[in-house]
Amino acid sequence: MIRAANNNQVLSLAFFVILLVSLGAAGTSLGLLQANINNGIYSRCHFFITYTQAMNSSLLNYNLPTCKLSIASATIATICLALLTAIELISVSFQINVKRLIANIIQAGFFVGSILFLFITMIVVSAGWGKTCATYRNITSSGGTPRSLFNIDCTGPQYRSSVGPFAPNGADFITAAKCSGVANVLAIITLSFFVAKRIRSRLSDEYTPLIKINDYELT
């Protein structure tokens, strides 16, 4: 019994560490997105820019809903992971094993929410910035110069007439997408841990009465 308790404690600690790393990755993604979207005149939304938009010098803010979606989904995912991490921290610190069905359903909901919204963030950021880079790359390769506020550097900060750097920083968007992907994978792993832990706890509860009955018969 002592060995089983120690194993459960080790699993809970590993579960908490993975959750904490996932939370850190999600928070990093959110911070990078906030730093490069709607942060001054040179850092508005630049996702999914088309050829027509790039050639329109009157446009300063392009596809704002997609940027709002990326920040909102990253925020929700970070909140879900923060709540899960807090719950697991309390569980590890006080060795509390939550067995109530409603509590387990709520935790599972947080897991599903974080995985879903991290996936949305990863797709929107990677696809949105990829589309923008492809648009400007095609314009440059065809010999034309877009009449927009500035040309896009896909892997670094932006400069205008040798002045800068300005947002958006392409490297930040790439890192944000990667962090969302890493956080998503870790969230899936922790969800698997969570399900396995609950199944093991339920099986343990089912076998405990049988052990007690057998002990009583032996005495």
Side-chain angles (χ1 to χ4, degrees), residues 10 12 28-29 32 38 45 54 74 80 115 120 123 127 138 141 145 153 155 175 177 195 216:
V10 171
S12 296
T28 300
S29 178
L32 291 173
N38 284 334
C45 188
C80 289
I115 292 170
I120 292 174
I123 294 299
N138 290 337
S141 63
T145 301
D153 183 353
T155 58
T175 303
V195 173
Y216 177 76

Side-chain angles (χ1 to χ4, degrees), residues 52-164:
T52 303
Q53 291 173 331
M55 299 298 289
N56 189 347
S57 59
S58 64
L59 285 178
L60 292 178
N61 218 5
Y62 295 91
N63 303 305
L64 187 59
T66 58
C67 287
K68 287 184 176 180
L69 175 61
S70 66
I71 290 180
S73 57
T75 301
I76 294 172
T78 303
I79 292 173
C80 289
L81 288 172
L83 291 172
L84 287 169
T85 304
I87 292 172
E88 193 59 27
L89 176 61
I90 294 172
S91 176
V92 171
S93 300
F94 299 98
Q95 298 184 6
I96 299 173
N97 187 15
V98 179
K99 297 182 180 180
R100 291 185 178 275
L101 179 61
I102 296 178
N104 290 334
I105 292 175
I106 292 174
Q107 285 182 270
F110 285 149
F111 272 114
V112 173
S114 62
I115 292 170
L116 174 62
F117 287 108
L118 283 170
F119 181 76
I120 292 174
T121 302
M122 180 182 65
I123 294 299
V124 171
V125 175
S126 58
W129 188 242
K131 170 62 178 176
T132 297
C133 289
T135 297
Y136 278 88
R137 193 179 297 115
N138 290 337
I139 294 173
T140 303
S141 63
S142 64
T145 301
R147 296 188 302 274
S148 57
L149 193 59
F150 49 76
N151 295 333
I152 292 292
D153 183 353
C154 293
T155 58
Q158 313 306 318
Y159 292 87
R160 186 185 181 193
S161 300
S162 300
V163 178

